[in-house]
Amino acid sequence: MKRDLTAIAAIAAACVMLVGCGKKPEQNSTAPADTAPAAESVIGESGADASAQDSQAEGSVSGDTADGSAADPNQNNAQDPQAADSTPGAENSEGDALPKSDPAAAAGALHVSIETVSISLEQLKSQDYTVPVLVTLDKNPGITYSEWGLHIDPKCTFTADSEECKVQTVHVENDEEHFLWTAWASGALLKGTGSLLEVQLKLPLDAKAGDTYTITYADTSLANKGDVWDYTDINTQTTTSYADMNGVVTWTDGGVKVTG
């Protein structure tokens, strides 16, 4: 029987938010440039760990580079996503859980995108300097549990929610560290892709044309615990931890670009 997702997520969040969980995987990652990546959308399209350790946004990029050299311009605004449930153990078709015996088969199989929004200064002022930025799960080998975070540009303030998202991700915000950490859990396999969280980014009043404000993926909590993307088979209680496999979990950083 499926467990109630909201109740499980809330319990999971209460248990892990203050310390995070999991082990930080070894990754060959690069620090993001002080510009948002090239995966863009036009404004208007949809779209924590309290134990502080770092005061700077130091999220790393895995897969697509921060300068956008490998980003797909349509990636963050892709097809209407669906977050379908199914019984674990299905055949290895697209979207199903990948075989635990062959980690190489899962390389690059889970991808998270942070939207890059381009907005004119005039429209920014009309929106009281607040811009929604959507975080989406673009590739998904099949998960039942996740934890991950975001570093928010320290020049901005923010709030976040998942009320209108495909996946009802819960989170804790740390305003002092410009950081948030999330948790999500389900008793059934989530095979689909779709929106995970919407960040309402409030830019400073001195924002001007040409300015960029970044939101970067955090694969480590402020308590130095790694991100988690797991699939647990409810029948055998065996767990596949994608974040512990090199190159399986990738992401594209984003933010807001102010145009003329």
mmCIF file of all heavy atoms in Angstrom, residues 16 19 26 36 45 71-72 90 109 127 131 134 143 152 184 193-194 201-202 210 226 247 251:
data_model
loop_
_atom_site.group_PDB
_atom_site.id
_atom_site.type_symbol
_atom_site.label_atom_id
_atom_site.label_comp_id
_atom_site.label_asym_id
_atom_site.label_seq_id
_atom_site.Cartn_x
_atom_site.Cartn_y
_atom_site.Cartn_z
ATOM 1 N N VAL A 16 15.785 15.024 9.421
ATOM 2 C CA VAL A 16 17.086 15.228 8.790
ATOM 3 C C VAL A 16 17.484 16.659 8.560
ATOM 4 O O VAL A 16 18.636 16.937 8.274
ATOM 5 C CB VAL A 16 17.142 14.489 7.429
ATOM 6 C CG1 VAL A 16 16.800 13.047 7.601
ATOM 7 C CG2 VAL A 16 16.227 15.162 6.402
ATOM 8 N N VAL A 19 20.641 18.210 10.395
ATOM 9 C CA VAL A 19 21.974 17.642 10.210
ATOM 10 C C VAL A 19 22.229 17.120 8.815
ATOM 11 O O VAL A 19 23.360 16.870 8.442
ATOM 12 C CB VAL A 19 22.223 16.481 11.219
ATOM 13 C CG1 VAL A 19 22.223 17.017 12.629
ATOM 14 C CG2 VAL A 19 21.185 15.383 11.063
ATOM 15 N N GLU A 26 32.516 11.345 -3.916
ATOM 16 C CA GLU A 26 33.667 11.938 -4.574
ATOM 17 C C GLU A 26 33.246 12.369 -5.964
ATOM 18 O O GLU A 26 32.706 11.597 -6.735
ATOM 19 C CB GLU A 26 34.789 10.901 -4.691
ATOM 20 C CG GLU A 26 35.368 10.476 -3.345
ATOM 21 C CD GLU A 26 36.125 11.612 -2.673
ATOM 22 O OE1 GLU A 26 36.702 12.433 -3.403
ATOM 23 O OE2 GLU A 26 36.145 11.665 -1.439
ATOM 24 N N ALA A 36 25.179 33.365 -14.383
ATOM 25 C CA ALA A 36 24.221 32.283 -14.473
ATOM 26 C C ALA A 36 24.471 31.519 -15.755
ATOM 27 O O ALA A 36 24.974 32.056 -16.717
ATOM 28 C CB ALA A 36 22.797 32.861 -14.466
ATOM 29 N N GLU A 45 7.293 32.091 -17.405
ATOM 30 C CA GLU A 45 7.113 30.666 -17.516
ATOM 31 C C GLU A 45 7.263 30.022 -16.140
ATOM 32 O O GLU A 45 7.953 30.519 -15.284
ATOM 33 C CB GLU A 45 8.139 30.081 -18.489
ATOM 34 C CG GLU A 45 7.953 30.613 -19.900
ATOM 35 C CD GLU A 45 8.901 29.977 -20.881
ATOM 36 O OE1 GLU A 45 9.665 29.086 -20.466
ATOM 37 O OE2 GLU A 45 8.883 30.356 -22.046
ATOM 38 N N ALA A 71 24.892 23.559 -22.039
ATOM 39 C CA ALA A 71 23.497 23.635 -21.605
ATOM 40 C C ALA A 71 22.564 23.645 -22.797
ATOM 41 O O ALA A 71 22.858 24.198 -23.839
ATOM 42 C CB ALA A 71 23.279 24.891 -20.773
ATOM 43 N N ASP A 72 21.414 23.038 -22.609
ATOM 44 C CA ASP A 72 20.374 23.033 -23.619
ATOM 45 C C ASP A 72 19.428 24.184 -23.335
ATOM 46 O O ASP A 72 18.804 24.225 -22.287
ATOM 47 C CB ASP A 72 19.622 21.697 -23.539
ATOM 48 C CG ASP A 72 18.494 21.594 -24.553
ATOM 49 O OD1 ASP A 72 18.206 22.599 -25.218
ATOM 50 O OD2 ASP A 72 17.914 20.498 -24.665
ATOM 51 N N ALA A 90 9.854 -2.922 -12.034
ATOM 52 C CA ALA A 90 9.397 -3.054 -13.399
ATOM 53 C C ALA A 90 10.587 -3.241 -14.323
ATOM 54 O O ALA A 90 11.726 -3.063 -13.953
ATOM 55 C CB ALA A 90 8.600 -1.810 -13.803
ATOM 56 N N ALA A 109 22.245 9.694 -15.415
ATOM 57 C CA ALA A 109 20.828 9.364 -15.536
ATOM 58 C C ALA A 109 19.906 10.262 -14.732
ATOM 59 O O ALA A 109 18.709 10.276 -14.964
ATOM 60 C CB ALA A 109 20.592 7.914 -15.130
ATOM 61 N N GLN A 127 7.480 43.967 -10.821
ATOM 62 C CA GLN A 127 7.282 42.779 -9.979
ATOM 63 C C GLN A 127 7.903 42.949 -8.604
ATOM 64 O O GLN A 127 8.120 41.965 -7.888
ATOM 65 C CB GLN A 127 7.897 41.546 -10.670
ATOM 66 C CG GLN A 127 7.205 41.175 -11.956
ATOM 67 C CD GLN A 127 7.817 39.965 -12.634
ATOM 68 O OE1 GLN A 127 7.449 39.617 -13.751
ATOM 69 N NE2 GLN A 127 8.752 39.295 -11.971
ATOM 70 N N VAL A 131 11.518 37.595 -8.530
ATOM 71 C CA VAL A 131 11.495 36.751 -9.722
ATOM 72 C C VAL A 131 11.365 35.281 -9.317
ATOM 73 O O VAL A 131 12.163 34.778 -8.521
ATOM 74 C CB VAL A 131 12.787 36.931 -10.552
ATOM 75 C CG1 VAL A 131 12.704 36.113 -11.841
ATOM 76 C CG2 VAL A 131 13.038 38.407 -10.863
ATOM 77 N N LEU A 134 12.442 28.309 -11.129
ATOM 78 C CA LEU A 134 11.977 26.940 -10.934
ATOM 79 C C LEU A 134 13.144 25.948 -10.949
ATOM 80 O O LEU A 134 14.067 26.050 -11.748
ATOM 81 C CB LEU A 134 10.999 26.571 -12.049
ATOM 82 C CG LEU A 134 10.105 25.352 -11.831
ATOM 83 C CD1 LEU A 134 9.165 25.579 -10.652
ATOM 84 C CD2 LEU A 134 9.313 25.054 -13.095
ATOM 85 N N ILE A 143 13.211 7.124 -8.168
ATOM 86 C CA ILE A 143 13.643 7.418 -6.803
ATOM 87 C C ILE A 143 12.494 7.242 -5.816
ATOM 88 O O ILE A 143 11.317 7.313 -6.192
ATOM 89 C CB ILE A 143 14.198 8.854 -6.664
ATOM 90 C CG1 ILE A 143 13.134 9.888 -7.088
ATOM 91 C CG2 ILE A 143 15.479 9.014 -7.476
ATOM 92 C CD1 ILE A 143 13.541 11.331 -6.807
ATOM 93 N N ILE A 152 21.939 30.379 -2.442
ATOM 94 C CA ILE A 152 21.287 31.551 -3.006
ATOM 95 C C ILE A 152 22.265 32.722 -3.029
ATOM 96 O O ILE A 152 23.022 32.924 -2.076
ATOM 97 C CB ILE A 152 20.045 31.943 -2.179
ATOM 98 C CG1 ILE A 152 19.138 30.724 -1.966
ATOM 99 C CG2 ILE A 152 19.299 33.090 -2.838
ATOM 100 C CD1 ILE A 152 18.542 30.133 -3.213
ATOM 101 N N TRP A 184 12.541 14.799 0.587
ATOM 102 C CA TRP A 184 11.322 14.254 -0.023
ATOM 103 C C TRP A 184 11.369 12.741 0.101
ATOM 104 O O TRP A 184 12.436 12.124 -0.002
ATOM 105 C CB TRP A 184 11.231 14.648 -1.500
ATOM 106 C CG TRP A 184 10.132 13.937 -2.245
ATOM 107 C CD1 TRP A 184 8.828 14.309 -2.354
ATOM 108 C CD2 TRP A 184 10.262 12.697 -2.957
ATOM 109 N NE1 TRP A 184 8.128 13.373 -3.088
ATOM 110 C CE2 TRP A 184 8.982 12.378 -3.475
ATOM 111 C CE3 TRP A 184 11.325 11.831 -3.192
ATOM 112 C CZ2 TRP A 184 8.755 11.227 -4.221
ATOM 113 C CZ3 TRP A 184 11.089 10.671 -3.938
ATOM 114 C CH2 TRP A 184 9.811 10.380 -4.452
ATOM 115 N N THR A 193 9.449 12.977 -14.377
ATOM 116 C CA THR A 193 10.229 14.195 -14.229
ATOM 117 C C THR A 193 9.274 15.335 -13.915
ATOM 118 O O THR A 193 8.063 15.190 -14.025
ATOM 119 C CB THR A 193 11.016 14.512 -15.512
ATOM 120 O OG1 THR A 193 10.088 14.657 -16.606
ATOM 121 C CG2 THR A 193 12.006 13.406 -15.824
ATOM 122 N N GLY A 194 9.829 16.491 -13.524
ATOM 123 C CA GLY A 194 8.966 17.624 -13.250
ATOM 124 C C GLY A 194 9.547 18.576 -12.238
ATOM 125 O O GLY A 194 10.687 18.421 -11.789
ATOM 126 N N LEU A 201 13.006 34.752 -5.794
ATOM 127 C CA LEU A 201 14.257 35.470 -5.563
ATOM 128 C C LEU A 201 14.005 36.970 -5.597
ATOM 129 O O LEU A 201 13.532 37.497 -6.591
ATOM 130 C CB LEU A 201 15.276 35.102 -6.645
ATOM 131 C CG LEU A 201 16.733 35.512 -6.390
ATOM 132 C CD1 LEU A 201 17.299 34.725 -5.204
ATOM 133 C CD2 LEU A 201 17.580 35.274 -7.640
ATOM 134 N N LYS A 202 14.300 37.652 -4.483
ATOM 135 C CA LYS A 202 14.106 39.103 -4.398
ATOM 136 C C LYS A 202 15.450 39.773 -4.630
ATOM 137 O O LYS A 202 16.366 39.684 -3.821
ATOM 138 C CB LYS A 202 13.552 39.493 -3.042
ATOM 139 C CG LYS A 202 13.414 41.008 -2.889
ATOM 140 C CD LYS A 202 12.021 41.406 -2.505
ATOM 141 C CE LYS A 202 11.922 42.917 -2.401
ATOM 142 N NZ LYS A 202 10.564 43.376 -2.442
ATOM 143 N N GLY A 210 22.351 44.043 -17.052
ATOM 144 C CA GLY A 210 23.649 43.387 -17.109
ATOM 145 C C GLY A 210 24.002 42.607 -15.860
ATOM 146 O O GLY A 210 24.925 41.784 -15.874
ATOM 147 N N GLY A 226 26.288 14.783 2.473
ATOM 148 C CA GLY A 226 26.061 14.799 1.043
ATOM 149 C C GLY A 226 24.609 14.724 0.626
ATOM 150 O O GLY A 226 23.730 14.317 1.391
ATOM 151 N N GLY A 247 29.261 10.421 -11.340
ATOM 152 C CA GLY A 247 28.707 10.875 -12.609
ATOM 153 C C GLY A 247 27.246 10.599 -12.836
ATOM 154 O O GLY A 247 26.698 10.965 -13.878
ATOM 155 N N TRP A 251 23.812 18.297 -12.672
ATOM 156 C CA TRP A 251 22.918 19.443 -12.520
ATOM 157 C C TRP A 251 23.387 20.634 -13.336
ATOM 158 O O TRP A 251 24.541 20.710 -13.755
ATOM 159 C CB TRP A 251 22.776 19.845 -11.054
ATOM 160 C CG TRP A 251 24.072 20.178 -10.361
ATOM 161 C CD1 TRP A 251 24.705 21.383 -10.338
ATOM 162 C CD2 TRP A 251 24.888 19.289 -9.600
ATOM 163 N NE1 TRP A 251 25.858 21.311 -9.591
ATOM 164 C CE2 TRP A 251 26.000 20.023 -9.126
ATOM 165 C CE3 TRP A 251 24.783 17.938 -9.252
ATOM 166 C CZ2 TRP A 251 26.998 19.458 -8.338
ATOM 167 C CZ3 TRP A 251 25.783 17.372 -8.473
ATOM 168 C CH2 TRP A 251 26.863 18.136 -8.023
#
